[in-house]
Amino acid sequence: MNSIIRKISYYLPEKLLTNNHLEKRFPEWNAEKIENKTGIKGRHIANEDETALDFGLKVAVRLLQDYDKSKIDFLLFCTQSPDYYLPSGACILQDKLGLRTDIGAFDYNLGCSGYIYGLAMASSFIKSGIAQNVLLITSETYSKHINSKDKSNLTIFGDGASATIIEKSEKKGIHKFALGTDGSGSENLIVPNGGLRNRYNPDAELIDDGSGSYRTKNNLFMNGPEIFNFTIKAVPIVVNQCLKKNNTTIDDIDYVIFHQANKYIIDYLRKKLKIPQDKFCIDLEYTGNTVSTTIPIALKNAIENGSVKAGDRILLVGYGVGYSWGATIIEF
Amino acid sequence: MKIELFLRKLEQALEIEDTKLNFDTNFKDIEEYDSFSVLSIIALIDEEFGEKISGLELNKISTVQELIDQIGVDHFE
């Protein structure tokens, strides 16, 4: 049985952190240079009393406004900013959304590869007969993990959420997947404290990473150069694996959406893979890197602005924290 | 690759075309040098030589000569 993406919505919190705000807070930072390098002019940030679950609820309510929600028979919730260790945010969302109780629901912890894995699970649940209409929610508030003196990570990441309905269909809308994992890079993108291995430490030392960004072990740490090294190695491989699995070539792909990490990285990957500029998506100007939500934001915008149309074959690629990565091809 | 050409490509990558790099130039003395410069060096070495250089190795490198040694003299004419 085949599956197809029926609808996508996304949600961005109201508060916008612009490059000018960052320049005011960090005088050595230059707003124009940030934009030139990262492609980001602003990023939306959660308020203190808003969580990823709140955003997930908002975006799903919006998506289900004109959809018969009694049809939803599985809920997947992707976040690394959970309200609680337990229960699963997906269970709370099932109740708040008024979904049926005879459905499956769970959280899964992935970052920038999360949307691809969500599509992989949704389409295989449909294929195996477990579900027919899956609601996939991605939602992240990395801003809550980032130290207020960490200018590097504050510059890159933004908060946001997406909701997607994946339905059983005659048409093959979601093609085969290539997935990958390499936990040897787990320490290069991590929040070291706050789990059960290293408890949250209110007295954790503020450390200068040498480039003028400060953080404690309670905060998000990203080893930029190592993440870049991982990306330029893993992404070309997974793109080729995905194309091969689907018996196609990059020439037969109409549009390419990579996880929008930052403009510098995705533009380098585009050149490395020799993908023409006119079919390559760069869409993070006012969102930044929203982790598992960059791909659905870019996809929704590409559909609305006409960059993709019915019948187009779109290559989606996610990669990041874990390390974890994946790619697939979709059609509408 | 000719070393002179590499120096010019390095200047381009670091967007410091007005400054001439030489073997003794210390990266930390370049005003524009920042966290994106590190990515630019990684990208340049990947693109030109297909070699990987870790952030840790780059951190230990101060001068252009040390970078050339790290890439490996075999790559240069």
Side-chain angles (χ1 to χ4, degrees):
Chain A
M1 186 47 66
N2 292 319
S3 52
I4 195 161
I5 292 178
R6 181 62 61 203
K7 278 161 76 72
I8 306 173
S9 258
Y10 63 82
Y11 173 83
L12 302 166
E14 262 175 50
K15 192 161 76 184
L16 187 71
L17 178 68
T18 65
N19 293 352
N20 288 330
H21 292 142
L22 286 170
E23 195 182 270
K24 267 189 202 138
R25 269 165 73 180
F26 306 101
E28 70 281 18
W29 228 211
N30 176 296
E32 203 185 318
K33 190 172 178 188
I34 294 174
E35 187 190 331
N36 288 341
K37 292 287 185 184
T38 64
I40 304 165
K41 289 181 180 167
R43 60 296 280 151
H44 293 260
I45 301 295
N47 283 322
E48 188 53 40
D49 60 352
E50 295 172 315
T51 70
L53 193 140
D54 295 333
F55 297 162
L57 179 62
K58 279 186 178 163
V59 72
V61 165
R62 186 182 289 176
L63 186 76
L64 294 172
Q65 257 170 7
D66 52 357
Y67 190 88
D68 177 7
K69 67 183 179 187
S70 70
K71 281 168 64 184
I72 300 293
D73 55 6
F74 215 102
L75 169 60
L76 294 167
F77 183 42
C78 175
T79 191
Q80 299 187 311
S81 309
D83 275 26
Y84 310 107
Y85 280 126
L86 57 115
S88 237
C91 297
I92 299 170
L93 284 167
Q94 173 276 330
D95 178 53
K96 288 188 187 278
L97 287 166
L99 300 179
R100 284 162 32 199
T101 53
D102 63 336
I103 69 170
F106 63 86
D107 292 4
Y108 64 100
N109 176 326
L110 283 175
C112 306
S113 61
Y115 192 68
I116 305 294
Y117 279 76
L119 293 181
M121 288 191 281
S123 65
S124 55
F125 289 170
I126 290 168
K127 202 178 192 100
S128 62
I130 289 175
Q132 298 197 358
N133 307 293
V134 179
L135 174 59
L136 165 63
I137 301 173
T138 65
S139 186
E140 216 49 87
T141 57
Y142 265 30
S143 68
K144 291 177 192 288
H145 296 308
I146 299 172
N147 194 288
S148 61
K149 291 180 174 152
D150 183 349
K151 64 177 181 189
S152 311
N153 286 321
L154 283 172
T155 300
I156 297 288
F157 291 104
D159 298 337
S162 79
T164 304
I165 292 169
I166 300 107
E167 283 182 354
K168 179 170 128 178
S169 88
E170 292 293 317
K171 184 180 157 80
K172 194 168 186 179
I174 300 175
H175 292 256
K176 288 181 179 164
F177 289 80
L179 302 174
T181 305
D182 181 4
S184 72
S186 59
E187 288 180 354
N188 291 326
L189 186 36
I190 190 169
V191 179
N193 288 356
L196 300 179
R197 176 68 56 191
N198 309 298
R199 299 290 183 113
Y200 175 83
N201 174 4
D203 304 319
E205 184 194 358
L206 193 65
I207 305 159
D208 177 357
D209 70 2
S211 73
S213 286
Y214 296 81
R215 63 186 71 87
T216 75
K217 286 197 167 177
N218 298 325
N219 303 128
L220 181 86
F221 164 75
M222 178 165 73
N223 183 336
E226 280 318 297
I227 296 295
F228 186 51
N229 267 320
F230 146 69
T231 303
I232 59 182
K233 186 177 153 217
V235 171
I237 294 172
V238 79
V239 164
N240 288 322
Q241 283 171 340
C242 180
L243 292 170
K244 204 173 165 191
K245 274 195 173 175
N246 288 293
N247 293 316
T248 189
T249 65
I250 197 80
D251 297 335
D252 291 323
I253 297 292
D254 299 291
Y255 202 62
V256 178
I257 301 177
F258 281 7
H259 159 58
Q260 306 285 300
N262 68 60
K263 187 172 129 233
Y264 184 85
I265 290 185
I266 52 182
D267 210 40
Y268 183 73
L269 291 170
R270 180 188 68 74
K271 284 185 254 171
K272 196 173 163 72
L273 282 155
K274 301 187 173 62
I275 300 168
Q277 225 162 346
D278 61 349
K279 62 179 184 186
F280 190 79
C281 176
I282 295 187
D283 181 356
L284 73 167
E285 210 173 19
Y286 283 103
T287 48
N289 179 342
T290 51
V291 194
S292 49
T293 301
T294 69
I295 295 173
I297 289 175
L299 190 54
K300 168 88 176 167
N301 289 343
I303 296 164
E304 289 195 342
N305 68 26
S307 299
V308 302
K309 50 191 187 308
D312 277 357
R313 289 154 64 84
I314 308 153
L315 173 67
L316 307 180
V317 188
Y319 45 88
V321 55
Y323 306 137
S324 166
W325 63 94
T328 190
I329 294 168
I330 60 158
E331 280 179 59
F332 289 98
Chain B
M1 182 184 291
K2 288 205 160 60
I3 284 199
E4 271 304 309
L5 180 63
F6 177 70
L7 293 182
R8 299 296 87 78
K9 282 181 187 269
L10 192 55
E11 286 159 8
Q12 270 173 26
L14 298 174
E15 294 177 13
I16 49 160
E17 283 93 337
D18 299 339
T19 322
K20 258 203 162 338
L21 288 176
N22 60 51
F23 298 124
D24 300 327
T25 308
N26 192 316
F27 289 110
K28 306 261 160 22
D29 294 338
I30 301 169
E31 201 191 325
E32 294 87 348
Y33 196 83
D34 61 13
S35 51
F36 268 102
S37 311
V38 176
L39 301 192
S40 305
I41 294 175
I42 292 172
L44 179 69
I45 294 169
D46 175 62
E47 207 173 346
E48 298 296 336
F49 308 109
E51 297 278 352
K52 186 179 169 231
I53 183 159
S54 73
L56 200 67
E57 283 162 344
L58 268 177
N59 266 342
K60 289 183 197 150
I61 287 168
S62 312
T63 65
V64 173
Q65 182 64 56
E66 286 170 27
L67 178 65
I68 289 168
D69 293 342
Q70 181 67 44
I71 296 166
V73 282
D74 299 353
H75 287 293
F76 297 98
E77 294 171 22

